[in-house]
Amino acid sequence: MLIGSTVIWRRIIPLVSKEKTMIRDLLKLCLVIFIVASHSVWIFFYIYLPDESWISMFCFICLALYAHLAVFLVICTLFERSIDFIFPQVTSVILKSRTFHTLISLGAAILLVTSGLSVTRSSPTVQSQDVYISGLSPKFDGFSIVLITDIHIGPTVGKNRVEQIVRLTNDLNPDMVALVGDLVDGFVNHLGSRSLPLAQLHPKYGVFAVTGNHEYMYDETDKWIEFFQKNLNITVLRNDNRIIRKNRSTDLETDALCLAGVDDIFTERLYIEGHRMDAKKALETCPENIPTILLAHQPNAAKKILATTEKKISLILSGHTHGGQMYPLYFLVYLSSPFLHGLYSTPAGTQVYVSSGVNYWGPPIKMLNLCEVVLLRLHPAVPT
Ligand SMILES: *[C@@H]1O[C@H](CO)[C@@H](O)[C@H](O)[C@H]1NC(C)=O
């Protein structure tokens, strides 16, 4: 943050010449407000602010601009140093002008932040995906699951956005809804009422959820889980599973699937009483002869479970990566996620679907088409 702020300050202030003292002082004031606003976003997760407060919105947009600008300007500085070193005698403006590079960075940052903002202010896209599962009963052909993840109800995600997501989901008329973590980002007292529209999801086979890392950040995990179950009629699968049957009375044992879910893998690094990812326990009572679908918030959890669990898993549904969310973060996320976005097949025959999520964390900025709800349709795989 210190490097970012220094680079921004040293490169933006000289854009106005020293003679224009008034404008320069004004620019300094704006820049101080901008930097302070960018650094103060953390408070908004912990204090009460009215739903969709403009203050948190303003500060998070500043943070987005700050992050883009800092990264671009650091790259510019490194670029200029290299050029100076390699071609000391070149005088080309494009290669050498600091002012020119600063203006380009500023323009690119504003452009990307504006377009990223328009992504998160628009309705999420619907990503449709057929998934072929071996051993799936023909009675489940066409069974639909809407996968929603990373709603992140919090400082800039309010009730209107949740209502929009619920409307969109209900229009898809799914058989089941899976919420794979990071539903909320704060305290029950502040945010509970903003999550209430989720109670309007009524898929025939129910709404299922697992915890994400953000559910563990406010020391209210149990309170939230109780809220989800009681007020929103969401079944939270905590190292547990449910057998989903198409038709209770007549179906054979094989006309079913096992839906399991685990506590987030973050619980392996934090000690939170009563919470721990345990895939073995989650899958233990899933019958061998029917397909298993596992909800696990992080792709890292999916990777670990695949490496350590003997039980066959047909499909794992995850989120967490936000598909990289925004350019300054993209490569970090890319490098740290075994599965980034979309449908993957693993050698063991398990498929993994990672959604980029319906919302974002922190700055209300996302790259194009990354705010999504996923409509999965299951089909029996043709044996080969
Ligand atoms: C809660 O969800 C279940 C399906 O999981 C459904 O059968 C039940 O009617 C729902 N209850 C309410 C109050 O909506």
Side-chain angles (χ1 to χ4, degrees):
M1 283 302 202
L2 191 67
I3 296 174
S5 305
T6 311
V7 169
I8 289 174
W9 186 268
R10 288 216 184 131
R11 299 197 59 135
I12 298 289
I13 298 296
L15 289 179
V16 175
S17 71
K18 280 208 173 84
E19 292 84 69
K20 297 179 181 151
T21 16
M22 267 273 284
I23 303 181
R24 210 171 149 111
D25 288 346
L26 198 64
L27 184 64
K28 282 181 182 168
L29 178 67
C30 290
L31 215 50
V32 168
I33 294 173
F34 171 73
I35 291 173
V36 170
S38 308
H39 288 69
S40 57
V41 294
W42 305 102
I43 332 168
F44 303 132
F45 292 103
Y46 296 96
I47 61 169
Y48 177 80
L49 281 178
D51 196 2
E52 293 178 12
S53 135
W54 69 268
I55 292 190
S56 56
M57 200 64 186
F58 171 77
C59 291
F60 273 108
I61 291 172
C62 286
L63 177 64
L65 208 53
Y66 179 99
H68 282 75
L69 207 50
V71 169
F72 293 161
L73 290 178
V74 166
I75 292 173
C76 282
T77 306
L78 296 176
F79 173 78
E80 287 152 1
R81 297 260 162 97
S82 325
I83 293 289
D84 284 345
F85 182 74
I86 306 168
F87 309 109
Q89 62 281 58
V90 170
T91 56
S92 142
V93 172
I94 293 181
L95 290 181
K96 288 258 165 130
S97 164
R98 283 172 58 89
T99 308
F100 177 69
H101 299 160
T102 306
L103 288 173
I104 294 275
S105 302
L106 189 60
I110 291 173
L111 202 72
L112 291 176
V113 167
T114 313
S115 89
L117 192 59
S118 80
V119 171
T120 63
R121 298 298 97 190
S122 319
S123 181
T125 54
V126 175
Q127 189 74 43
S128 296
Q129 177 73 53
D130 291 302
V131 182
Y132 295 85
I133 291 179
S134 70
L136 185 73
S137 155
K139 289 201 174 151
F140 277 89
D141 194 7
F143 188 85
S144 59
I145 302 173
V146 166
L147 168 62
I148 305 173
T149 177
D150 300 271
I151 303 180
H152 285 285
I153 296 168
T156 62
V157 176
K159 199 165 186 174
N160 282 332
R161 180 66 168 179
V162 181
E163 272 169 1
Q164 184 182 42
I165 294 164
V166 168
R167 265 199 310 276
L168 181 67
T169 306
N170 283 339
D171 285 347
L172 298 172
N173 195 21
D175 292 309
M176 180 192 282
V177 172
L179 305 168
V180 295
D182 289 1
L183 184 56
V184 289
D185 228 319
F187 300 99
V188 179
N189 276 344
H190 299 169
L191 305 176
S193 62
R194 294 173 207 176
S195 70
L196 287 178
L198 290 168
Q200 302 310 314
L201 293 167
H202 298 292
K204 185 173 174 197
Y205 294 86
V207 181
F208 296 90
V210 288
T211 55
N213 48 318
H214 285 260
E215 269 83 34
Y216 292 105
M217 287 181 178
Y218 305 88
D219 208 13
E220 292 209 331
T221 316
D222 291 321
K223 232 169 140 180
W224 270 121
I225 290 171
E226 194 187 326
F227 188 91
F228 296 156
Q229 318 225 80
K230 283 210 177 116
N231 300 49
L232 307 178
N233 197 24
I234 294 172
T235 305
V236 182
L237 294 171
R238 301 206 39 228
N239 304 320
D240 197 2
N241 66 64
R242 294 286 184 282
I243 309 294
I244 309 293
R245 291 188 176 82
K246 266 252 122 166
N247 187 332
R248 277 172 200 285
S249 53
T250 58
D251 287 357
L252 299 168
E253 269 312 303
T254 51
D255 289 332
L257 55 84
C258 187
L259 182 74
V262 285
D263 282 349
D264 185 54
I265 191 167
F266 197 42
T267 52
E268 294 189 341
R269 281 199 277 146
L270 297 182
Y271 181 78
I272 300 156
E273 177 125 32
H275 292 262
R276 185 96 184 153
M277 181 172 93
D278 189 344
K280 189 162 177 283
K281 180 159 173 276
L283 298 166
E284 217 159 40
T285 53
C286 283
E288 292 284 351
N289 59 343
I290 59 173
T292 296
I293 298 177
L294 176 69
L295 311 183
H297 175 63
Q298 300 194 32
N300 282 321
K303 184 182 171 194
K304 179 164 185 189
I305 292 166
L306 286 172
T308 53
T309 310
E310 281 159 30
K311 204 104 178 185
K312 177 155 170 42
I313 306 168
S314 312
L315 175 65
I316 301 181
L317 304 180
S318 300
H320 183 69
T321 64
H322 299 191
Q325 183 157 326
M326 51 186 201
Y327 293 97
L329 295 177
Y330 181 83
F331 289 102
L332 290 179
V333 180
Y334 178 84
L335 293 174
S336 64
S337 309
F339 310 103
L340 182 67
H341 184 203
L343 186 65
Y344 298 82
S345 293
T346 69
T350 302
Q351 298 179 80
V352 179
Y353 196 98
V354 182
S355 169
S356 59
V358 71
N359 285 329
Y360 49 85
W361 179 82
I365 304 297
K366 236 173 166 186
M367 297 183 294
L368 219 55
N369 284 331
L370 287 187
C371 284
E372 63 177 22
V373 299
V374 183
L375 175 64
L376 300 163
R377 274 192 197 286
L378 307 187
H379 306 284
V382 183
T384 49

